[in-house]
Amino acid sequence: MCPGATHQDLGGTGERDVEQTSYSGSSELEKDVSCCAKCRLRQDCEYWVRATDTNHCWLKSNDGETIIETSSSSRRGGFRDSGN
């Protein structure tokens, strides 16, 4: 199950985009769940970040390195959950 965003922007050493995609939904929670669900479909996705001013969603990995939270007024993000 994908919860809503738990952070604003996320990144860190070794940060790379696994995939750039788009999300759908009408509420902030629906948009978060849409982006998160795409991350869950990829084994190499550790976390996701979505834009709040467009429908862009970035599926990301730091290759196991520390993920750093960054304040942002135009991003929302969260960690890939471990559910099936």
Side-chain angles (χ1 to χ4, degrees), residues 5-10 48-49 69-73 75-78:
T6 52
H7 304 284
Q8 292 178 331
D9 203 359
L10 298 166
W48 55 271
V49 174
E69 304 165 29
T70 308
S71 180
S72 174
S73 60
R75 300 281 188 267
R76 290 172 59 93

Side-chain angles (χ1 to χ4, degrees), residues 10-16 47 61-62 65-70:
L10 298 166
T13 303
E15 171 188 359
R16 65 182 174 87
Y47 61 101
S61 172
N62 284 15
E65 297 293 322
T66 302
I67 298 169
I68 300 168
E69 304 165 29
T70 308

Side-chain angles (χ1 to χ4, degrees), residues 4-5 11-12 24-25 30-31 39 47-48 52 55 59 67-69 74:
S24 60
E30 287 175 354
K31 294 172 184 177
C39 183
Y47 61 101
W48 55 271
T52 57
N55 70 336
L59 311 182
I67 298 169
I68 300 168
E69 304 165 29
S74 62

Side-chain angles (χ1 to χ4, degrees), residues 41-60:
L41 294 174
R42 294 199 53 137
Q43 212 43 36
D44 53 353
C45 181
E46 293 180 77
Y47 61 101
W48 55 271
V49 174
R50 73 170 182 86
T52 57
D53 52 354
T54 68
N55 70 336
H56 292 107
C57 171
W58 297 274
L59 311 182
K60 296 181 169 274

